[in-house]
């Protein structure tokens, strides 16, 4: 059965690559290959190994919470947790191989232990909608953040609190900043209806700049206390979060631009999601960051042209 499940996943991946086209597939495969080389080269570093051994289970936990086929697996397979464990372990094999090659045993144990917990995360954060006083501080025109914080409250707040009170540890704040940054990517998955787009009464260029400004302002306000604590305890490593911020800011701008470049009222654009994933994979490898910047410029002009069909009345 496990073999059949893995075969299905392989076929799904193949269809996805065919669907995004040869050029994008080659670009994506190139990023994956470069990531593997980068991972192999740095797997001997204890700090990098530990961060990756923690980051991968956390990233997979977000996938586990969000995935929509858990009910299908639970109702059709008696040992569905074993299926989930095999899937996540398979995704972790490249890092496990790199760590074992460099005899980094402790991160391997942490990674496998973290992956083994994932199948037991059966809850769905999407099903929870929490309203608190916190949302009242979010500007009314930042509806993406209001909706996102309401849905992701049980992830965002504990992550922020744990990072703040463990900021004396070198890895806690960088990991939190990273995941706080990528969680808010999901806020921009679905395009708002046209009436909400027109409420701003801005032309396409001004609207895009307004969205980027609001996104970065709120994000910086959230992470500012974490940065201050990190620099207080780990001043000699001041450059780590700054390097992260360059990448995360670039990716956040990129995600917003892809959303509006493929804007489809009230829908989740598959093209935007695909290009967003490619940009994310490219952004986490510093050598590909200029490529993300170049694509951002192209998507900006595409977004302005696309939104002009809806906001042409505000061109003055």
């Amino acid at each position: 059965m496990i073999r059949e499940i893995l075969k299905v996943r392989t076929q799904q991946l193949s269809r996805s690559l065919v669907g995004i086209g040869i050029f994008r597939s080659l670009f994506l495969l190139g990023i994956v290959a470069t990531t593997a080389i980068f991972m192999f080269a740095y797997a001997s570093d204890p700090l990098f190994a530990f961060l990756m051994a923690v980051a991968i289970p956390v990233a997979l936990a977000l996938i586990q919470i969000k995935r929509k086929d858990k009910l299908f697996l639970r109702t059709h397979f008696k040992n569905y947790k074993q299926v989930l464990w095999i899937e996540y372990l398979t995704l972790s094999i490249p890092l496990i191989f790199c760590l074992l090659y460099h005899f980094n045993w402790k991160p391997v144990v942490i990674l496998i232990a973290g992956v083994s917990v994932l199948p037991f995360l059966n809850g769905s954060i999407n099903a929870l909608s929490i309203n608190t006083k916190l949302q009242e501080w979010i500007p009314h025109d930042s509806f993406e953040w209001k909706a996102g914080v309401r849905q992701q409250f049980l992830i965002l707040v504990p992550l922020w609190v744990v990072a703040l009170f463990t900021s004396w540890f070198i890895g806690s704040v960088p990991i939190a900043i990273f995941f706080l940054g990528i969680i808010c990517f999901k806020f921009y998955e679905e395009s708002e209806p046209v009436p909400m787009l027109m409420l701003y009464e801005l032309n396409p260029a001004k609207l895009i700049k307004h969205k980027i400004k609001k996104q970065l302002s709120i994000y910086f306000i959230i992470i500012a206390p974490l940065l201050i604590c990190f620099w207080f305890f780990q001043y000699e490593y001041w450059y780590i979060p700054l390097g992260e911020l360059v990448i995360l800011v670039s990716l956040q701008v990129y995600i917003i631009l892809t959303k509006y470049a493929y804007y489809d009222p009230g829908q989740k654009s598959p093209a935007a999601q695909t290009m967003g994933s490619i940009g994310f994979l490219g952004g986490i490898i510093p050598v590909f960051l200029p490529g993300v910047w170049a694509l951002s410029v192209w998507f900006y002009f595409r977004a302005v042209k696309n939104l002009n069909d809806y906001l042409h009345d505000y061109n003055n």
Side-chain angles (χ1 to χ4, degrees):
M1 181 196 65
I2 300 298
R3 183 183 302 175
E4 284 71 17
I5 290 292
L6 293 178
K7 182 178 179 180
V8 169
R9 298 304 185 201
T10 303
Q11 292 174 344
Q12 290 175 333
L13 177 61
S14 300
R15 285 196 295 267
S16 298
L17 292 176
V18 172
I20 65 175
I22 296 178
F23 174 76
R24 294 172 184 171
S25 297
L26 292 175
F27 182 71
L28 180 59
L29 291 174
I31 291 175
V32 171
T34 305
T35 303
I37 295 172
F38 179 85
M39 188 183 299
F40 181 80
Y42 286 91
S44 59
D45 180 77
L47 176 59
F48 175 84
F50 174 79
L51 292 177
M52 291 301 296
V54 173
I56 286 184
V58 173
L60 293 176
L62 295 177
I63 295 175
Q64 166 69 4
I65 292 172
K66 296 293 183 183
R67 63 188 298 169
K68 299 178 180 180
D69 62 344
K70 286 183 291 186
L71 179 59
F72 171 81
L73 293 174
R74 189 160 55 245
T75 54
H76 287 74
F77 301 97
K78 292 183 179 180
N79 56 344
Y80 74 97
K81 290 182 180 179
Q82 181 182 357
V83 174
L84 294 172
W85 183 76
I86 292 294
E87 287 185 346
Y88 295 136
L89 185 64
T90 301
L91 292 173
S92 305
I93 284 177
L95 179 59
I96 293 175
F97 170 79
C98 295
L99 294 172
L100 290 177
Y101 182 86
H102 293 286
F103 300 101
N104 242 331
W105 301 101
K106 290 183 179 179
V108 173
V109 174
I110 295 173
L111 178 57
I112 295 177
V115 168
S116 300
V117 173
L118 298 180
F120 297 94
L121 299 178
N122 292 323
S124 177
I125 299 298
N126 279 340
L128 298 176
S129 183
I130 299 177
N131 289 302
T132 67
K133 291 290 184 181
L134 179 64
Q135 283 95 312
E136 296 180 6
W137 290 88
I138 302 174
H140 294 299
D141 58 349
S142 298
F143 56 85
E144 296 95 347
W145 272 92
K146 281 186 175 292
V149 170
R150 186 166 60 247
Q151 293 180 351
Q152 310 291 340
F153 186 87
L154 294 181
I155 295 179
L156 291 171
V157 174
L159 179 62
W160 189 91
V161 172
V162 170
L164 184 68
F165 287 99
T166 60
S167 54
W168 49 267
F169 173 63
I170 188 174
S172 63
V173 170
I175 290 174
I177 290 175
F178 175 75
F179 283 106
L180 288 171
I182 65 173
I183 287 172
C184 66
F185 292 171
K186 196 168 184 63
F187 299 172
Y188 293 89
E189 278 188 344
E190 186 172 343
S191 299
E192 63 269 34
V194 175
M196 295 183 67
L197 197 69
M198 299 177 68
L199 284 176
Y200 297 95
E201 297 185 354
L202 297 173
N203 63 37
K206 290 182 179 179
L207 176 65
I208 292 171
K209 292 176 183 177
H210 174 79
K211 289 287 187 179
I212 292 174
K213 180 181 177 181
K214 285 290 185 179
Q215 167 64 26
L216 298 183
S217 298
I218 296 174
Y219 179 65
F220 281 130
I221 290 173
I222 290 174
I223 67 171
L226 301 180
L227 291 174
I228 293 172
C229 290
F230 178 86
W231 285 325
F232 179 80
F233 290 108
Q234 309 287 346
Y235 182 74
E236 65 272 23
Y237 298 108
W238 59 269
Y239 54 87
I240 294 179
L242 287 184
E244 267 192 309
L245 286 180
V246 172
I247 296 173
L248 289 170
V249 166
S250 300
L251 290 176
Q252 289 180 32
V253 172
Y254 176 87
I255 291 296
I256 293 174
L257 293 175
T258 55
K259 171 188 173 180
Y260 290 110
Y262 296 99
Y263 175 76
D264 187 9
Q267 303 295 324
K268 292 182 179 180
S269 170
Q273 290 181 314
T274 300
M275 295 308 298
S277 299
I278 292 176
F280 172 74
L281 290 174
I284 61 176
I285 307 300
V287 71
F288 284 107
L289 195 57
V292 173
W293 294 337
L295 286 173
S296 296
V297 173
W298 183 63
F299 282 132
Y300 170 77
F301 290 106
R302 181 186 175 100
V304 170
K305 181 179 178 181
N306 189 30
L307 291 179
N308 194 57
D309 294 336
Y310 308 95
L311 303 175
H312 56 83
D313 289 343
Y314 303 107
N315 289 324
N316 51 41

